[in-house]
Amino acid sequence: MTIKEKQQEIVKDFEFLDDWEQKYEYIIDLGKELKGLPEDKKTDENLIKGCQSKVWINAEFKDGKLYFNADSDGILPKGIVSLLVSIYSGHPTKEILDSDFDFISQIGLQEFLSPSRANGLMAMTKQIKFYAVAYQLKS
């Protein structure tokens, strides 16, 4: 499944949720499913700057694809980063770089978040793109 297809699937999932309380619960449930990071990967290098909570994203490049794993010490940020990991992990760097984050506005996520959490979300998306650029330059 392509990144765009995954994004559209998320948009459809959110359409079935009636209000932000249900959407909030859905995001938290996504976070509970996230495998998380081992303690040795929770480094300053993997820490996302600009998040209200601590959020770490780790990336590994193998077989021409970039794989992400993440964790957070907050339940909502963990759900948000889980959503991003589920969409972008396992794709070639070019596909990640060519993708957009329009699905975020389509599901209304930024409107639901406080300004500091919205800044954190933007920092997470920038980090995913940064990893794609860095690994594309290496390959």
Side-chain angles (χ1 to χ4, degrees):
M1 185 179 292
T2 67
I3 288 173
K4 193 67 171 170
E5 290 169 338
K6 288 180 181 180
Q7 290 172 338
Q8 289 309 308
E9 193 173 89
I10 294 294
V11 170
K12 286 179 185 175
D13 288 346
F14 271 77
E15 286 173 358
F16 286 106
L17 303 172
D18 293 328
D19 57 34
W20 270 108
E21 187 174 319
Q22 289 179 342
K23 293 175 183 185
Y24 185 81
E25 288 175 21
Y26 178 74
I27 292 170
I28 289 171
D29 287 343
L30 289 175
K32 290 176 183 175
E33 296 172 11
L34 186 65
K35 184 173 90 174
L37 283 175
E39 290 302 315
D40 67 327
K41 298 290 183 185
K42 293 180 182 179
T43 63
D44 284 343
E45 182 179 288
N46 291 332
L47 186 65
I48 304 301
K49 312 299 185 264
C51 288
Q52 186 174 342
S53 298
K54 288 188 176 183
V55 177
W56 300 269
I57 298 177
N58 183 54
E60 293 181 16
F61 188 73
K62 54 185 170 186
D63 301 325
K65 296 179 180 177
L66 201 51
Y67 294 88
F68 296 100
N69 198 5
D71 207 345
S72 176
D73 64 355
I75 58 171
L76 184 60
K78 189 170 184 172
I80 293 168
V81 77
S82 176
L83 181 69
L84 296 174
V85 166
S86 72
I87 292 171
Y88 294 97
S89 189
H91 293 278
T93 56
K94 182 171 181 358
E95 185 181 1
I96 294 168
L97 291 171
D98 290 345
S99 69
D100 57 44
F101 294 96
D102 289 347
F103 78 98
I104 292 170
S105 60
Q106 290 176 11
I107 63 175
L109 188 56
Q110 284 180 305
E111 297 168 21
F112 162 69
L113 299 175
S114 68
S116 60
R117 292 227 190 270
N119 287 340
L121 171 61
M122 289 295 96
M124 291 178 213
T125 60
K126 286 179 184 176
Q127 188 64 32
I128 287 170
K129 292 280 187 170
F130 172 79
Y131 278 128
V133 167
Y135 282 97
Q136 188 171 44
L137 292 174
K138 286 182 181 182
S139 59

